[in-house]
């Protein structure tokens, strides 16, 4: 491809936060940085200067000396950022409300499918957090205590997190579609002292009760001293299923009036969040993230790489069980409005998120690659039905965005926007590779490595490669590296997760390629990479070809151990009345051969009625591989549809 899909206008470049940041770097350090590439090279070669400039540019609220910036910078893990600083994450997010009389603009706009619409001003959010903080403090919550949310993506979820973290407590959450065991596998490990829950939630037009499950799993959480119920389906839900620890939110805060919030400032690396890995291979890992590192990483990504400006309206389609929720709420620190949506993205007619974007003038629309692919397959064109003049940026994550997804966005959504495919994860509560608002977007490529992170692709020998596939690695420490894993006192599980492959280098587990333009392509997870005949193949390369076929709704591919080697097995879920006959199998294989390579051609193509996925929507290749090989899937509760795995057991075609 000789031309990019999009270039920013000169006006947009001039107005971008990143342009101002470049000027500041040049002025402060006597440099002549001209573009993102120059800035990135300087940022990884001058970590202390870079992160200090981010700190000052973003106006971090804190006390103490910012020097030294990094202690033990040569240790990975082990480096410590801003060891003399004390801050509070919630204080930085509530910066738009210096007094209770000001800031009447929207802080949060919420849609719950087509059932509920609400909005809170910055003053209303501040007042709600103030009252809730007082109630939590009097309930005995303080620094280091765990507060958990089993919640939909409600304004109350943001309030509860801010109130808890304003006290120095540690927040952890999952979505209310988790089953009892899934909740216990997570919250049972971290022993929360307080628990926020809903009476239920809406999904696909249905009202779904939560309290029966809360009653069941809360009995197994003896550490919980107070259960706060946030009404969603009813104004005054019946708390009879719960024990004496439960109280309605309104009653919990009734005795407290709004007043100035006293924020507990703690060391930069004090724990803020406990987040969970997907848990499809056993109990989920409990990943502890620090307040300062999370804040600083999110500010750098949102203000610089996403160009979020004051009064922007920022949306991400997410649940409280996905790290993108934690990422989204940080946009308050950039003085943006949070656009929260909870429910199905396709109810009632598949247009609801675009109704939201148009009505509320969303400026950044964040979603998953699977959602973009689903819209494409439906043949739906939002640009024909919706006016989106304020929309400047679109971000996509969760799985690789294929080149055809790029085409769809520019052809069917909006031609003038910065489409940023981003990738990182729960492990760093942020991104390794992401967008660049002052640079071009090339078809099928993630624009750039994250500022301050020396992201490379290494081959099997541990050497950097360009234009070849290999392991995505990061060579230097960064603020949002996990502090630790919970209940991992010697750090052995933490080191094994990221530093075993290449000692002293973060190996993320993504099979990737760095392009000649310093962009990146992600081909899938390394542990799901296929290896027929000793040649590594990324699963995304196969999905891209197969899902172009009109008959194929979705697919999942694994490597099956066979006769001393690995053979590629493709499972397809078909549309409507489509039939997997010999003709369709031939067309699938031809498409893969011509679009990828002969080595990508599956030995077997098998129809299945459903594809198993995690609750955040990611397909689970490893779980399918385990079922095919007769191995136990260790944590079915991590899946949104565990019953789908039944379709992969004992398949006769895989025995020959």
């Amino acid at each position: 491809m000789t031309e990019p899909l999009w270039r920013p206008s000169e006006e947009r470049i001039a107005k971008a936060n990143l342009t101002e940041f470049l000027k500041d770097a040049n002025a402060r350090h006597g440099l002549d940085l001209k573009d993102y590439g120059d800035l990135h090279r300087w940022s990884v070669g001058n970590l202390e200067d870079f992160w200090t400039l981010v700190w000052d540019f973003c106006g971090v609220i804190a006390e103490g000396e910012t020097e030294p910036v990094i202690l033990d910078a040569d240790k990975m893990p082990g480096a410590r950022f801003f060891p003399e600083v004390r801050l509070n994450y919630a204080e930085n997010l509530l910066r738009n409300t210096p007094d209770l009389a000001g800031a009447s603009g929207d802080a949060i706009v919420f849609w719950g499918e087509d059932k509920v619409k609400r909005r809170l001003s910055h003053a209303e959010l501040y007042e709600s957090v103030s009252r809730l903080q007082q109630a939590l403090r009097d309930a005995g919550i303080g620094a280091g205590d765990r507060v958990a949310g089993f919640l939909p993506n409600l304004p109350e979820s943001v309030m509860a997190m801010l109130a808890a973290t304003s006290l120095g407590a540690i927040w952890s959450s999952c979505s209310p579609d988790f089953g009892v065991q899934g909740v216990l596998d997570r919250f049972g490990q971290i022993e929360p002292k307080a628990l926020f829950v809903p009476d239920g939630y809406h999904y696909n037009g249905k009202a779904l009760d939560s309290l029966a499950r809360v009653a069941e799993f809360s009995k197994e959480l003896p550490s919980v001293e107070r259960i706060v119920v946030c009404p969603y389906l009813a104004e005054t839900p019946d708390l009879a299923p719960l024990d004496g620890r439960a109280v309605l939110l309104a009653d919990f805060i009734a005795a407290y009036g709004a007043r100035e919030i006293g924020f507990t400032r703690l060391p930069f690396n004090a724990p803020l969040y406990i987040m969970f890995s997907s848990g499809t291979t056993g109990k989920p890992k409990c990943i502890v993230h620090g307040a300062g590192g999370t804040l600083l990483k999110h500010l750098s990504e949102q203000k610089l790489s996403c160009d979020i400006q004051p009064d922007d309206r920022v949306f991400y389609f997410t649940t409280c069980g996905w790290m993108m929720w934690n990422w989204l709420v940080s946009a308050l620190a950039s003085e943006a409005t949070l656009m929260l949506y909870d429910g199905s993205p396709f109810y009632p007619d598949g247009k609801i998120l675009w109704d939201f974007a148009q009505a509320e003038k969303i400026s950044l629309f964040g979603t998953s690659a699977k959602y973009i692919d689903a819209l494409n397959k439906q043949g739906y064109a939002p640009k024909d039905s919706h006016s989106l003049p304020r929309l400047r940026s679109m971000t996509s994550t969760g799985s690789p965005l294929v080149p055809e997804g790029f085409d769809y966005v520019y052809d069917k959504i909006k031609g003038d926007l910065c489409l940023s495919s981003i990738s990182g994860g729960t492990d760093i509560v942020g991104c390794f590779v992401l967008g660049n608002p002052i640079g071009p977007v090339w078809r099928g490529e993630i624009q750039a490595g994250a500022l301050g992170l020396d992201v490379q692709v290494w081959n099997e020998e541990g050497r950097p490669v360009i234009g070849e596939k290999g392991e995505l690695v990061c060579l230097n420490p960064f603020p949002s590296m996990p502090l630790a894993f919970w209940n991992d006192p010697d750090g052995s599980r933490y080191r094994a997760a990221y530093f075993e492959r290449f000692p002293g280098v973060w190996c993320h587990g993504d099979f990737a390629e760095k392009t000649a333009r310093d962009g990146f392509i992600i081909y899938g997870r390394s542990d799901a990479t296929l290896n027929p005949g000793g040649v590594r193949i990324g699963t995304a390369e196969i999905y891209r070809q197969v899902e172009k076929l009109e008959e194929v709704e979705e697919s999942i591919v694994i490597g099956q151990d066979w006769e001393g080697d690995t053979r590629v097995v493709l499972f397809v879920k078909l549309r409507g009345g489509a039939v997997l006959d010999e003709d369709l199998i031939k067309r699938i294989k031809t498409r893969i051969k011509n679009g990828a390579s002969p080595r990508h051609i599956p030995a077997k193509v098998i129809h299945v009625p459903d594809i198993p996925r995690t609750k955040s929507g990611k397909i689970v290749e490893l779980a399918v591989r385990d079922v095919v090989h007769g191995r136990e899937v260790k944590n079915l509760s991590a899946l949104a549809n565990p019953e789908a795995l039944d379709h992969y057991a004992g398949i006769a075609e895989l025995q020959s």
Side-chain angles (χ1 to χ4, degrees):
M1 187 177 191
T2 57
E3 288 296 320
L5 293 172
W6 176 82
R7 286 188 189 275
S9 67
E10 291 301 319
E11 180 185 11
R12 179 157 180 175
I13 293 171
K15 291 181 177 179
N17 290 328
L18 196 59
T19 299
E20 189 65 30
F21 188 83
L22 270 166
K23 292 177 182 176
D24 285 359
N26 287 336
R28 182 180 294 196
H29 297 288
L31 303 170
D32 187 28
L33 307 177
K34 292 184 171 58
D35 56 21
Y36 190 97
D38 287 347
L39 179 61
H40 186 269
R41 285 184 287 275
W42 174 76
S43 74
V44 299
N46 301 271
L47 291 179
E48 294 192 0
D49 290 342
F50 169 72
W51 288 112
T52 300
L53 189 59
V54 171
W55 183 283
D56 295 340
F57 186 85
C58 297
V60 175
I61 301 169
E63 63 187 44
E65 297 297 324
T66 56
E67 293 185 356
V69 177
I70 315 174
L71 286 181
D72 299 322
D74 59 336
K75 293 182 180 178
M76 195 172 173
R80 290 181 294 144
F81 284 79
F82 298 101
E84 301 301 319
V85 162
R86 297 176 72 87
L87 54 70
N88 184 275
Y89 174 77
E91 183 178 12
N92 279 273
L93 269 60
L94 291 169
R95 66 173 65 226
N96 235 7
T97 351
D99 59 71
L100 296 181
S104 60
D106 290 335
I108 296 175
V109 177
F110 169 71
W111 282 23
E113 292 193 342
D114 60 345
K115 307 288 190 300
V116 182
K117 294 180 182 180
R118 293 170 54 197
R119 63 185 66 237
L120 280 81
S121 70
H122 287 280
E124 289 169 330
L125 175 61
Y126 188 98
E127 291 167 2
S128 298
V129 173
S130 171
R131 298 177 69 195
L132 189 49
Q133 185 216 49
Q134 295 171 64
L136 285 172
R137 179 186 284 124
D138 287 353
I141 300 298
D145 288 330
R146 276 77 65 207
V147 177
F150 174 73
L151 289 166
N153 186 18
L154 301 173
E156 285 78 9
S157 305
V158 181
M159 294 174 200
M161 180 278 291
L162 290 171
T165 59
S166 73
L167 295 166
I170 305 170
W171 177 260
S172 191
S173 60
C174 67
S175 54
D177 54 350
F178 275 77
V180 169
Q181 192 57 52
V183 176
L184 292 175
D185 285 346
R186 288 158 177 77
F187 295 163
Q189 295 188 68
I190 66 171
E191 300 177 299
K193 196 171 182 178
L195 175 66
F196 286 82
V197 304
D199 59 334
Y201 59 99
H202 297 287
Y203 196 83
N204 210 27
K206 299 177 182 177
L208 302 169
D209 173 74
S210 293
L211 293 182
R213 271 175 297 136
V214 173
E216 191 174 347
F217 71 67
S218 62
K219 293 175 184 176
E220 304 299 321
L221 295 173
S223 64
V224 173
E225 297 175 6
R226 179 61 76 192
I227 301 172
V228 181
V229 179
C230 304
Y232 184 23
L233 300 184
E235 278 190 35
T236 54
D238 181 11
L239 303 189
L242 305 181
D243 58 30
R245 296 175 291 175
V247 60
L248 288 175
L249 175 62
D251 295 333
F252 187 55
I253 64 174
Y256 305 95
R259 65 187 189 192
E260 185 176 349
I261 298 173
F263 295 98
T264 301
R265 291 181 177 175
L266 296 172
F268 183 88
N269 283 319
L272 170 72
Y273 289 137
I274 298 175
M275 305 183 70
F276 306 101
S277 65
S278 60
T280 53
T281 57
K283 277 193 177 183
K285 298 189 291 286
C286 303
I287 305 170
V288 184
H289 285 292
T294 300
L295 175 67
L296 202 58
K297 184 73 166 87
H298 288 179
L299 282 168
S300 72
E301 293 182 359
Q302 294 175 352
K303 290 181 79 74
L304 302 181
S305 297
C306 292
D307 198 33
I308 293 175
Q309 312 220 9
D311 301 321
D312 272 349
R313 300 167 81 79
V314 179
F315 166 74
Y316 224 102
F317 178 69
T318 182
T319 71
C320 293
W322 190 21
M323 56 90 29
M324 292 313 303
W325 182 85
N326 307 74
W327 188 93
L328 170 63
V329 296
S330 286
L332 286 170
S334 296
E335 301 176 48
T337 300
L338 302 186
M339 313 303 292
L340 307 183
Y341 178 87
D342 194 76
S344 169
F346 298 108
Y347 181 84
D349 58 6
K351 301 177 182 179
I352 185 72
L353 297 187
W354 301 104
D355 294 343
F356 191 26
Q358 175 177 280
E360 299 296 347
K361 300 178 174 61
I362 285 172
S363 49
L364 185 152
F365 187 106
T367 187
S368 66
K370 283 295 180 186
Y371 175 73
I372 293 171
D373 181 61
L375 293 180
N376 193 9
K377 284 183 176 294
Q378 291 173 5
Y380 175 51
K383 75 172 187 179
D384 294 339
S385 55
H386 292 78
S387 175
L388 305 167
R390 288 281 304 274
L391 183 63
R392 301 196 320 271
S393 304
M394 189 167 181
T395 56
S396 167
T397 191
S399 58
L401 182 63
V402 298
E404 291 76 15
F406 282 75
D407 298 338
Y408 171 79
V409 168
Y410 284 109
D411 291 345
K412 304 299 184 183
I413 296 178
K414 191 175 183 181
D416 183 21
L417 55 75
C418 183
L419 173 59
S420 300
S421 180
I422 63 177
S423 183
T426 302
D427 313 81
I428 66 166
V429 71
C431 301
F432 281 114
V433 291
L434 71 185
N436 166 18
I438 64 172
V441 173
W442 295 89
R443 184 176 187 263
E445 285 188 28
I446 298 171
Q447 285 174 285
L451 293 170
L453 279 68
D454 189 1
V455 182
Q456 301 183 12
V457 173
W458 280 14
N459 63 17
E460 294 289 332
E461 290 75 43
R463 292 197 297 269
V465 292
I466 294 176
E468 298 178 23
K469 297 167 188 171
E471 294 289 340
L472 188 78
V473 299
C474 183
L475 274 61
N476 65 290
F478 49 93
S480 68
M481 289 174 62
L483 302 180
F485 288 174
W486 197 257
N487 293 327
D488 181 28
D490 64 356
S492 57
R493 293 174 61 216
Y494 178 20
R495 290 190 298 273
Y498 310 114
F499 300 100
E500 207 167 60
R501 179 76 183 275
F502 303 116
V505 172
W506 181 292
C507 186
H508 192 54
D510 276 346
F511 192 48
E513 176 186 341
K514 186 174 183 179
T515 73
R517 289 185 281 258
D518 287 336
F520 290 85
I521 302 169
I522 307 293
Y523 292 101
R525 292 294 294 168
S526 297
D527 54 10
T529 299
L530 309 173
N531 200 26
V535 177
R536 297 184 76 191
I537 293 173
T539 53
E541 299 170 89
I542 294 177
Y543 299 141
R544 177 190 172 192
Q545 302 304 324
V546 174
E547 293 174 17
K548 289 178 181 177
L549 293 163
E550 185 177 341
E551 295 92 338
V552 179
E553 180 176 330
E554 197 172 17
S555 60
I556 190 167
V557 64
I558 66 163
Q560 182 191 13
D561 297 338
W562 190 255
E563 296 181 348
D565 196 357
T566 300
R567 67 178 181 182
V568 178
V569 177
L570 174 68
F571 300 95
V572 292
K573 179 182 178 182
L574 301 179
R575 291 183 174 281
V579 176
L580 187 66
D581 55 19
E582 289 301 317
D583 175 67
L584 181 54
I585 291 173
K586 182 178 179 181
R587 286 192 288 121
I588 288 172
K589 291 184 175 183
T590 300
R591 168 77 71 174
I592 292 170
K593 178 183 177 181
N594 294 339
S597 80
R599 288 190 176 275
H600 290 72
I601 298 172
K604 300 282 185 177
V605 181
I606 297 171
H607 172 254
V608 287
D610 201 5
I611 304 286
R613 59 186 64 253
T614 66
K615 293 184 183 294
S616 61
K618 298 178 182 179
I619 61 174
V620 285
E621 294 143 329
L622 296 184
V624 169
R625 193 168 73 187
D626 282 343
V627 170
V628 165
H629 289 96
R631 298 189 290 262
E632 178 186 4
V633 178
K634 295 181 180 178
N635 199 351
L636 293 173
S637 62
L639 303 183
N641 55 340
E643 68 283 352
L645 286 174
D646 295 341
H647 304 302
Y648 300 82
I651 297 175
E653 292 173 76
L654 296 182
Q655 310 310 311
S656 62

